[in-house]
Amino acid sequence: MYLVNYNPNSYQVLGYLDPSLGFHPTDDGTAYFSIDDDIHDQYSNAPAWTDGKIITNQAPPSDFVVLTAEGWIVDEALQMEALKTCKQAAKDGIDKAVAAIYDRFNPFVREYALREKQAKEFITANYEGDVPPQIQAVVAPTGMTPKQAADSILADAQKLETALEELSKLRMQKLAVDNMSNINDINIHRDSVLQQIATVAEQL
């Protein structure tokens, strides 16, 4: 077994000691190796020295591999767990983004409904008769005419309804990750959906 002097952060081999060949102060590249608990006494105070037989000079091909005597082997259990975690995180992120928008309007949903109802009734009456309280509530601070206020209320209500419909469709896009098997694809999809949600939110 070689005694290897390496950079613990980059895994770059700085040199190695082969009992049969002597000390080699440098190596020609990066090497990865299995680590053994048996550290030679004369190097026990040098943390960059450890026993390890160099078995590959190839960097890990992914985050889900383990180093064996045959080289890098995919750890399927680790890969599946990471994929599962990534999918759930993507779904949660999309849900939270939409929920945050809903939360802006939920406290006043009954007020919006009442104002929209009175605006529709006033418009149906051809803007004639007594001005409904919710219409007057807009007229007073804005200086609008009752007709302008009613039209504005209805336009805002329709705009909100359209946005909520779009947000509902976008939130269901989270289900697409169930059919994905690549973490990068999942993250790209999540980011795309989040950007679309943000665009809808900017219009409210």
Side-chain angles (χ1 to χ4, degrees):
M1 181 173 284
Y2 296 109
L3 185 66
V4 181
N5 182 12
Y6 76 109
N7 183 320
N9 295 317
S10 68
Y11 291 93
Q12 182 180 18
V13 173
L14 307 177
Y16 58 93
L17 177 64
D18 182 333
S20 63
L21 299 175
F23 177 69
H24 298 261
T26 60
D27 187 76
D28 60 1
T30 298
Y32 294 80
F33 47 86
S34 59
I35 294 177
D36 194 307
D37 291 333
D38 180 23
I39 306 299
H40 284 230
D41 292 340
Q42 63 266 43
Y43 298 106
S44 62
N45 294 323
W49 284 92
T50 185
D51 272 333
K53 184 179 181 181
I54 299 174
I55 58 178
T56 179
N57 62 358
Q58 299 298 316
S62 76
D63 294 331
F64 315 113
V65 292
V66 291
L67 187 56
T68 71
E70 287 74 37
W72 296 109
I73 302 297
V74 174
D75 186 327
E76 294 185 0
L78 180 63
Q79 187 177 41
M80 291 303 296
E81 184 61 30
L83 187 63
K84 178 181 177 182
T85 299
C86 184
K87 288 181 177 182
Q88 190 59 54
K91 291 180 178 181
D92 290 346
I94 291 171
D95 279 346
K96 289 178 181 178
V98 174
I101 300 171
Y102 289 165
D103 287 345
R104 290 165 48 187
F105 300 96
N106 284 341
F108 310 109
V109 65
R110 294 182 64 184
E111 177 185 321
Y112 293 150
L114 179 59
R115 187 171 295 126
E116 180 183 4
K117 176 177 179 294
Q118 292 185 9
K120 287 180 177 179
E121 291 172 348
F122 190 53
I123 292 172
T124 300
N126 200 29
Y127 309 99
E128 296 178 351
D130 294 337
V131 178
Q134 290 297 320
I135 306 300
Q136 186 59 42
V138 174
V139 167
T142 64
M144 292 182 181
T145 66
K147 180 181 185 302
Q148 290 172 332
D151 290 344
S152 177
I153 290 168
L154 193 57
D156 287 345
Q158 292 173 339
K159 181 179 179 181
L160 178 59
E161 183 176 351
T162 299
L164 294 179
E165 179 74 19
E166 183 63 21
L167 288 172
S168 177
K169 293 178 182 178
L170 286 171
R171 195 173 74 82
M172 288 301 97
Q173 287 296 315
K174 70 179 184 177
L175 301 179
V177 304
D178 288 333
N179 298 320
M180 296 180 181
S181 57
N182 182 282
I183 286 180
N184 189 53
D185 290 343
I186 293 171
N187 289 334
I188 290 174
H189 177 74
R190 176 205 61 203
D191 291 345
S192 174
V193 175
L194 290 177
Q195 181 56 55
Q196 293 176 71
I197 291 172
T199 299
V200 173
E202 290 173 357
Q203 299 170 358
L204 294 174

